[in-house]
Amino acid sequence: MSQGLILVDAPATEAPSTASSSSLPRFHLRFPVSNNRGGLVLPQLLDTAERSLFECLRRFLSHAWHFDILLVDGTHTIAPETFLYLLVTSTWETNLQNLTRDIKRISFEEVRKPNAAINDVLHDRRKDLIFLREQVALGKSWIPRSVAEQLQAIQAAAEKQQIHVGFPHERLGDVLVQAQSLERFLMDSFSLLISSTIVLQATLSTEQAVRGQKLTQLAFLYIPLSFVTGVFGMNVREINGSPLSIWVPVVVLGVTLVLTAAIFTSHGWWERRFVRRI
C-alpha cells in the first residue's frame, strides 16, 4: 500500500484588531491547476478565524467517502490536481453548510429583535454567498481534461465496487443549486428584517403615543391650577388680608376646569369628524 505525506504551513491567525468583523478581509489560496486564468480557489473556512490549510485537510479527511475516492483504485496514485479539486469541492460544501446555518439562525431567531448589526451581518453573508457562487461556477466550468479523465476512471472503478461517491463535476453543480436557493432565502430574510423593523417602530410609536396621552391627562389637571395660581397668587383674605375671599380662586378654578374639559372634548370631536371626512 502506498503512503503519502502532505506538508502544510502553520495556520495564520489574525492580530488583535478593533475593526469589525465585516471589515476584515477573507483570505483564499489560488492553485494554478485550472484552465481558468485565475486558478483554482481554495476558500477560507467560514467557521474559523484561522487561515489553515491543515484544517481544510482535516475536514476533508473526516468524511469516510473521501477515503473511498482516494483508495478505490490501489494501482494508481491520484494526481495532485485531482486531489486539489476534491479538497476544494469539499471546502465549498462545508462553507455552504456554514452559510446556511448562519443565515437560518439569523432569519429564525435574531430577526425577532432587529437592529443595524443584524443588517450588517446579512450583507456580509450575502457577500460570502455571491463569492461562493462565482468561484464554484468557475471551478465547475474549467476542470482540466486530465482531472476529468482521472475522475472518470475513479468513478468507473467505484461503480464496479458498488461504491457511491460524489465527484467535483456533480457536487459543484449541487452546491450551485443549493446556493441559489439559499440566496432566495437570504433575500426573504432581508424582507423579513424590514417588516420586523417596521413592526418594532410601530410598537415604539404606540408607546410614545400612550406616554403623550398620559402627559395630556396630567396637563388637564395642572394647567388650570397653574393659571389660577398665577392670577391670584396668595392674595386672599385668609392669608394676607386681601379683599378677595379664598372662595373666589376656588370658583375660578372650577370654571377653568370646566372650560378646559370643554376645549379638550371639542378638540377630540373635531379631530374625529375631520378624520371621517378624509
Side-chain angles (χ1 to χ4, degrees), residues 65 69 89 93 136 140 143 151 155 159 164-178:
W65 67 273
I69 295 178
T89 301
E93 288 183 305
V136 168
K140 182 177 181 296
I143 298 179
L151 289 174
Q155 187 172 13
E159 291 176 353
H164 177 72
V165 294
F167 292 91
H169 63 282
E170 299 174 351
R171 299 305 303 157
L172 290 177
D174 294 340
V175 169
L176 279 178
V177 173
Q178 296 174 21

Side-chain angles (χ1 to χ4, degrees), residues 213-230:
Q213 184 179 7
K214 292 180 179 179
L215 288 175
T216 302
Q217 294 171 354
L218 290 175
F220 173 77
L221 296 175
Y222 285 102
I223 288 178
L225 288 174
S226 299
F227 172 74
V228 173
T229 303

Side-chain angles (χ1 to χ4, degrees), residues 107-120:
S107 181
F108 294 144
E109 299 177 9
E110 298 185 9
V111 168
R112 297 173 184 268
K113 297 181 179 180
N115 53 53
I118 296 177
N119 183 69
D120 292 339

Side-chain angles (χ1 to χ4, degrees), residues 104-163:
K104 288 186 176 181
R105 173 181 54 80
I106 294 171
S107 181
F108 294 144
E109 299 177 9
E110 298 185 9
V111 168
R112 297 173 184 268
K113 297 181 179 180
N115 53 53
I118 296 177
N119 183 69
D120 292 339
V121 173
L122 283 178
H123 279 289
D124 292 339
R125 298 292 82 79
R126 182 170 178 265
K127 179 181 177 181
D128 293 334
L129 184 59
I130 290 176
F131 181 78
L132 181 147
R133 287 186 56 189
E134 292 175 349
Q135 295 303 321
V136 168
L138 289 175
K140 182 177 181 296
S141 301
W142 297 97
I143 298 179
R145 177 176 297 180
S146 60
V147 174
E149 291 176 352
Q150 186 168 32
L151 289 174
Q152 290 175 359
I154 294 175
Q155 187 172 13
E159 291 176 353
K160 291 180 180 179
Q161 300 181 25
Q162 297 183 349
I163 299 175

Side-chain angles (χ1 to χ4, degrees), residues 212-270:
Q213 184 179 7
K214 292 180 179 179
L215 288 175
T216 302
Q217 294 171 354
L218 290 175
F220 173 77
L221 296 175
Y222 285 102
I223 288 178
L225 288 174
S226 299
F227 172 74
V228 173
T229 303
V231 172
F232 295 98
M234 299 177 64
N235 299 320
V236 293
R237 182 186 307 160
E238 287 76 6
I239 295 179
N240 59 5
S242 176
L244 293 177
S245 173
I246 194 173
W247 291 104
V248 175
V250 173
V251 172
V252 173
L253 176 62
V255 174
T256 306
L257 286 173
V258 172
L259 290 176
T260 304
I263 292 173
F264 274 99
T265 303
S266 61
H267 179 71
W269 173 82
W270 182 84

Side-chain angles (χ1 to χ4, degrees), residues 49-69:
E50 293 183 346
R51 288 81 166 102
S52 173
L53 180 58
F54 172 78
E55 183 63 20
C56 293
L57 290 170
R58 190 190 67 80
R59 300 282 184 91
F60 173 77
L61 296 176
S62 64
H63 301 287
W65 67 273
H66 286 148
F67 283 98
D68 294 335
I69 295 178

